[in-house]
Amino acid sequence: MIYMPSSQTSRSKTVPPEKRRFWPHAFVRFFLGGIGLVLAGIVGVVIFLAVALAVAYPNLPDVSALSDYRPKQPLRVYTADGVIIGEFGEERRRLTPIDEIPQVMKDAVLAIEDARFFSHGGVDYLGVVRAGLANLGRAKSQGASTITMQVARNVYLTAEKSYTRKIYEILLTFKLERSLTKNQILEIYMNQIFLGNRSYGFAAASESYYGKPLKDVSIAEAAMLAGLPKAPSAYNPIVNPTRARTRQLYIIERMEQNGFITAQQAKAAKEEELLVKTGRDAGRVHAEYVAETVRQLVFSQYGEETYTRGLNVFTTLRSTDQTMAYKALRKGIMDFERRQIYRGPEKFIDLPSNPQEIQDAIDEALAENPDNGDVMSAVVLEASPKRILAMRQNSETVSITGEGLRSGQSGLADKAGPNIKIRRGALIRVVKSPKDTWEITQLPEVEGAFVAMDPRDGAVRALIGGFDFEKNKFNHVTQAWRQPGSSFKPFIYSAALEKGFTPATVINDGPLFFDAGVTGGQPWEPKNYDGGFEGPMSLRTALKKSKNLVSIRILQSIGAKYGQEWTTHFGFDAEKHPAYLTMALGAGSVTPMQMATGYSVFANGGYRVNPYLVAKITDQRGKVLLESAPPALDESMRSISARNAFIMDSLLQEVARSGTAAKAQATLKRPDIFGKTGTTNDSIDTWFVGFQPTLTAAVWMGYDTPKKLGDKETGGGLSLPIWINYMEYALKGVPVTEYRPPEGVVNIGGEWYYDEYAKGAGVSSVGLQANPDATAAETAPAPGAGGAIQVLPPSDEKKRILDLFKN
């Protein structure tokens, strides 16, 4: 047997040539097949997208309207000097053109949302890759949505998360990029995006969070605002200041990385302390009653468009006057509240033992019972007759001792009832005293109203409809019909001047009694406030002392029907003032606005002016839609004669100088102050209505459900101080005004008369007002004023007036 070499043996076992050629060919075929499948897939996707595009693109919304972007904008109400006092609408937005948005705000948004906005075509492919790598690498999470994509989503699409919606979003993005410029897209984004606090757009957010216009924001403030689009609630600087601060610092870093700011600017921005509006009162002009009144007026004209059309209403209010009126009324009400018995804590909460749980429980209770302006809420931690320790929001502790406990003494007594007792867990109210110490107090039950207007044209300068709008939305200035008491007497005295009475006419301040046969009901024996009688006195003296019995005798003389008709000259409703002698004591019904309007007739020389609030309405672009221009005073508006108004001014000036309102001139230190106090039976309502020739104001206080304010409470003690506090501010820099005597009056011995009642007497040309620099002797009434000289009216009236002495 012959053996072959080993090499041959090995070759004999190798793969045949045809098999050796199979494997490379198979690999190539497999590779090419894979490429084919990929290409087929791509072609399929392209065909699918083409079909989807063909089907979906025509169904995309028309974006051409965005070239004239007009989003929903709320109704805004402003004071005459441009301070916003109210906003009504679903979306709080202030449309701001792109060229009016500060560069720092645009840079902050671009840095965090879309740094390549001006270089990509709507979809940032590099951004998608970068975001994917960052997210896979567990770096700070980044999104891939561009500003254009966000505009497409926010303007046209729902919040649904689906592939279909994403496709529509991308298609819309391309359509927006083709139809609009980059600046137009950025403008829409900056105005459309929701930023929390009911704010849409960065201009509204700047006002909401900082109380300032967008043009004034700093780098630090812009960075804080730019952090809101991602999660408005999570990064809200009011609710979540820590998380908002963290995101703000990151955005500042992004601004520096993208070259929008320098390292030095970034360092300064990180160190800047932001002043965020943390409360509803921060920098706010309280004119809620006015804003609501305006809303009703505008809605009656424009319907539902009121809340979306972007109307701007400019009122006649002066912001500083409104703020002063708000403070004055609240101070007057709280001063009264200090004299009331303590009614007990508002509620009681169970405080856990764990410190953190305690703070959470307190924060929750305080959120449900928030501060009411300067009347703040707190929860008691410890209580004894000598000290109360309470906690406010953010763990602020309040210690009340000494005089600060006075208002709550009854709640600290051992015998205090369970609902009155101040103990651990009690929710109480506290205020800062003038000495900067804490006092315990309570929310008032009593209400009040204040209105001031310009008597020359009717423009309302300040209006406070109650203690707090959130607590009670009833507008007491325009809706509360109350008895005016003695503040109504000037209108009866004015009627008497037309029936022959003069300031020097003497009438008896003596007892009166009317039996059932006269009254048609119960016997009536009216009294003066002090219960006494002073005998014969002049009209001037009677009004300044507010003598009820004299007023009744005057109305009895001129006739109740005539008196009723005369009051309509001042804007009062006759049916609200029945023609009975009780009308002389203000037993009818009036509103504070009516009283201010009525006294304005005296203030302006006898003209009837209608109060008005709305000066101008414009649309969102500033086009004037309505403008109020009250007519100049002319004889067609005359309500009473100039001489009647002049003599009534003289009488009302005496009330403010030496009568029941003498505190007015004494405090304000000027003679051109006129007015009358009013207190109804049982001190249920208190009033003061008065004026300076350029400003009339009325103040009312009382309970919504009528009840006694207190035996010693009067218009001079409750309402007058509020009026004075307001006027101290409102009349600063206003020169003293002198009323010039009109035709038809003469002055004899310092007293004024209609000239037909003093023929042949010496005539004085002295005016009502003296020069403010004159001496006391020069400004004092001349001898004989106040009734020393009696000039009786013509014979046909003489007997009727003398008959008044018979009772």
Side-chain angles (χ1 to χ4, degrees):
M1 182 176 288
I2 299 173
Y3 292 95
M4 295 183 65
S6 59
S7 61
Q8 292 180 354
T9 304
S10 63
R11 281 196 300 271
S12 67
K13 296 179 180 179
T14 59
V15 180
E18 63 275 11
K19 290 187 178 181
R20 289 201 302 269
R21 290 194 297 270
F22 173 80
W23 293 105
H25 291 172
F27 177 75
V28 170
R29 284 197 297 272
F30 178 78
F31 178 74
L32 292 176
I35 293 176
L37 287 173
V38 171
L39 291 174
I42 292 174
V43 171
V45 169
V46 170
I47 293 173
F48 172 78
L49 291 176
V51 173
L53 185 63
V55 173
Y57 200 85
N59 294 322
L60 292 176
D62 182 13
V63 301
S64 61
L66 287 182
S67 61
D68 185 25
Y69 175 61
R70 293 190 181 185
K72 290 181 180 179
Q73 292 195 72
L75 167 71
R76 289 190 180 88
V77 186
Y78 298 88
T79 62
D81 47 333
V83 178
I84 191 165
I85 56 175
E87 237 177 352
F88 300 93
E90 295 178 6
E91 302 176 0
R92 181 184 295 156
R93 178 184 284 110
R94 181 178 295 280
L95 184 61
T96 308
I98 190 66
D99 55 355
E100 294 179 17
I101 299 174
Q103 190 62 44
V104 66
M105 190 68 252
K106 290 184 279 191
D107 290 344
V109 169
L110 293 175
I112 191 61
E113 294 294 334
D114 193 354
R116 286 171 32 82
F117 172 71
F118 285 100
S119 59
H120 63 64
V123 177
D124 186 3
Y125 303 105
L126 289 177
V128 172
V129 174
R130 184 173 59 251
L133 293 174
N135 295 338
L136 287 174
R138 297 190 177 183
K140 186 177 285 287
S141 177
Q142 297 182 14
S145 288
T146 64
I147 283 177
T148 311
M149 294 169 73
Q150 292 184 59
V151 169
R153 183 165 61 242
N154 292 330
V155 174
Y156 293 109
L157 302 176
T158 67
E160 174 197 6
K161 290 186 177 181
S162 66
Y163 291 112
T164 303
R165 200 217 67 176
K166 195 65 178 176
I167 291 172
Y168 270 95
E169 180 181 313
I170 293 173
L171 294 177
L172 267 173
T173 297
F174 291 138
K175 191 169 185 178
L176 286 171
E177 289 279 345
R178 286 182 54 197
S179 304
L180 305 174
T181 67
K182 286 288 188 180
N183 273 336
Q184 285 177 313
I185 294 171
L186 185 59
E187 178 181 302
I188 294 168
Y189 177 83
M190 301 288 280
N191 284 282
Q192 182 73 20
I193 194 73
F194 176 63
L195 300 171
N197 252 23
R198 286 183 49 238
S199 299
Y200 289 78
F202 288 92
S206 178
E207 293 179 351
S208 178
Y209 292 108
Y210 301 127
K212 62 165 65 174
L214 185 61
K215 64 183 179 65
D216 294 335
V217 297
S218 64
I219 293 173
E221 291 168 334
M224 183 71 82
L225 293 176
L228 291 167
K230 183 177 181 180
S233 297
Y235 297 115
N236 185 316
I238 298 174
V239 180
N240 293 305
T242 302
R243 295 185 68 178
R245 170 69 171 162
T246 300
R247 184 154 177 81
Q248 177 215 28
L249 294 176
Y250 173 63
I251 293 174
I252 293 173
E253 292 173 0
R254 294 276 296 165
M255 293 178 74
E256 181 185 357
Q257 292 168 7
N258 283 280
F260 293 130
I261 58 175
T262 65
Q264 185 177 2
Q265 288 175 313
K267 182 176 182 296
K270 290 178 180 179
E271 295 173 353
E272 182 180 331
E273 183 177 352
L274 300 188
L275 299 177
V276 179
K277 290 171 61 177
T278 56
R280 67 186 186 115
D281 287 332
R284 180 181 182 182
V285 174
H286 284 274
E288 296 88 345
Y289 292 97
V290 173
E292 172 59 19
T293 300
V294 169
R295 183 198 68 79
Q296 295 176 21
L297 290 172
V298 175
F299 185 83
S300 67
Q301 178 70 29
Y302 294 98
E304 290 299 328
E305 280 192 344
T306 297
Y307 309 119
T308 60
R309 191 172 171 179
L311 299 173
N312 300 301
V313 181
F314 294 88
T315 67
T316 58
L317 296 188
R318 291 190 290 229
S319 61
T320 50
D321 281 30
Q322 180 70 15
T323 297
M324 194 62 237
Y326 174 79
K327 291 179 178 178
L329 181 65
R330 283 177 68 95
K331 181 181 183 301
I333 289 175
M334 291 309 297
D335 286 346
F336 170 80
E337 192 59 44
R338 287 187 179 91
R339 301 193 291 273
Q340 307 311 301
I341 189 169
Y342 188 64
R343 296 182 292 275
E346 292 182 26
K347 65 187 297 186
F348 298 92
I349 63 173
D350 294 325
L351 293 180
S353 55
N354 183 287
Q356 182 56 50
E357 292 179 354
I358 289 178
Q359 185 60 59
D360 291 343
I362 290 175
D363 285 346
E364 182 179 348
L366 297 181
E368 294 174 356
N369 299 269
D371 294 347
N372 188 304
D374 54 354
V375 184
M376 295 169 273
S377 52
V379 175
V380 175
L381 300 177
E382 302 173 11
S384 72
K386 293 186 177 181
R387 180 174 181 259
I388 293 176
L389 182 66
M391 182 174 286
R392 289 189 22 78
Q393 288 177 327
N394 301 319
S395 301
E396 178 189 2
T397 57
V398 172
S399 179
I400 309 172
T401 60
E403 286 296 310
L405 298 171
R406 181 184 295 273
S407 296
Q409 281 294 341
S410 60
L412 295 169
D414 292 336
K415 296 182 179 180
N419 294 329
I420 305 297
K421 184 72 173 177
I422 300 173
R423 61 182 185 271
R424 179 178 170 83
L427 192 145
I428 61 172
R429 294 285 170 168
V430 296
V431 293
K432 273 292 186 71
S433 72
K435 297 179 180 179
D436 202 34
T437 58
W438 290 102
E439 294 180 1
I440 186 171
T441 188
Q442 56 192 342
L443 286 175
E445 291 182 342
V446 73
E447 274 293 355
F450 181 98
V451 61
M453 61 183 285
D454 189 328
R456 298 166 296 184
D457 60 9
V460 176
R461 297 306 184 192
L463 188 155
I464 312 295
F467 179 79
D468 179 65
F469 182 76
E470 296 302 322
K471 174 173 168 277
N472 186 349
K473 293 180 172 56
F474 185 76
N475 189 339
H476 297 85
V477 168
T478 58
Q479 296 176 290
W481 291 92
R482 309 294 295 222
Q483 289 188 337
S486 295
S487 63
F488 199 74
K489 289 175 181 175
F491 305 112
I492 304 302
Y493 277 58
S494 172
L497 294 180
E498 298 304 303
K499 287 293 187 178
F501 284 77
T502 77
T505 300
V506 177
I507 297 180
N508 187 30
D509 176 33
L512 279 172
F513 179 80
F514 301 92
D515 59 28
V518 175
T519 64
Q522 295 295 320
W524 181 42
E525 187 176 8
K527 304 286 186 183
N528 286 320
Y529 175 77
D530 60 6
F533 311 98
E534 295 188 33
M537 61 178 61
S538 68
L539 259 70
R540 179 178 293 277
T541 301
L543 186 61
K544 81 174 185 178
K545 291 187 174 183
S546 198
K547 291 297 184 177
N548 292 339
L549 299 170
V550 172
S551 296
I552 293 171
R553 284 187 164 95
I554 291 174
L555 185 58
Q556 188 180 35
S557 173
I558 66 175
K561 271 289 185 185
Y562 178 78
Q564 179 192 47
E565 187 279 329
W566 186 258
T567 64
T568 63
H569 292 210
F570 301 88
F572 296 108
D573 305 316
E575 63 272 16
K576 296 284 187 180
H577 302 274
Y580 303 120
L581 293 181
T582 52
M583 182 171 56
L585 307 185
S589 297
V590 299
T591 67
M593 181 67 86
Q594 281 189 326
M595 291 298 283
T597 303
Y599 271 67
S600 290
V601 175
F602 296 137
N604 64 29
Y607 300 96
R608 170 80 185 281
V609 294
N610 293 316
Y612 73 101
L613 263 176
V614 176
K616 183 172 65 174
I617 300 179
T618 68
D619 65 13
Q620 59 182 315
R621 301 198 180 274
K623 180 183 177 182
V624 176
L625 303 177
L626 178 148
E627 194 160 13
S628 299
L633 298 179
D634 60 38
E635 291 307 304
S636 67
M637 302 166 65
R638 180 163 294 286
S639 181
I640 62 174
S641 68
R643 64 180 187 171
N644 187 300
F646 180 80
I647 290 181
M648 284 306 305
D649 292 340
S650 171
L651 295 175
L652 292 170
Q653 185 182 35
E654 192 66 47
V655 175
R657 177 165 54 210
S658 62
T660 57
K663 188 178 179 181
Q665 286 195 22
T667 303
L668 297 174
K669 295 180 172 56
R670 53 190 301 157
D672 57 340
I673 300 297
F674 312 77
K676 182 71 184 73
T677 55
T679 309
T680 61
N681 280 350
D682 296 323
S683 296
I684 289 175
D685 300 275
T686 68
W687 293 82
F688 183 75
V689 190
F691 56 91
Q692 190 271 347
T694 64
L695 193 62
T696 304
V699 183
W700 165 84
M701 275 185 65
Y703 290 100
D704 280 339
T705 301
K707 64 179 181 178
K708 289 181 66 171
L709 290 163
D711 291 335
K712 297 182 180 180
E713 304 296 356
T714 65
L718 283 183
S719 298
L720 177 59
I722 297 170
W723 191 91
I724 291 173
N725 284 345
Y726 170 78
M727 287 293 181
E728 277 185 310
Y729 174 84
L731 296 181
K732 280 183 179 177
V734 177
V736 171
T737 303
E738 176 180 346
Y739 284 122
R740 299 297 179 184
E743 292 184 6
V745 297
V746 295
N747 186 285
I748 302 174
E751 188 56 275
W752 293 97
Y753 309 91
Y754 285 4
D755 56 5
E756 62 264 35
Y757 301 151
K759 290 180 179 179
V763 177
S764 169
S765 61
V766 179
L768 278 185
Q769 301 297 338
N771 185 294
D773 297 323
T775 65
E778 291 172 320
T779 59
I789 294 180
Q790 177 180 353
V791 179
L792 292 175
S795 57
D796 59 339
E797 294 292 338
K798 182 175 179 178
K799 182 177 183 300
R800 295 176 61 192
I801 294 175
L802 292 178
D803 285 343
L804 298 180
F805 288 95
K806 294 180 180 179
N807 291 315

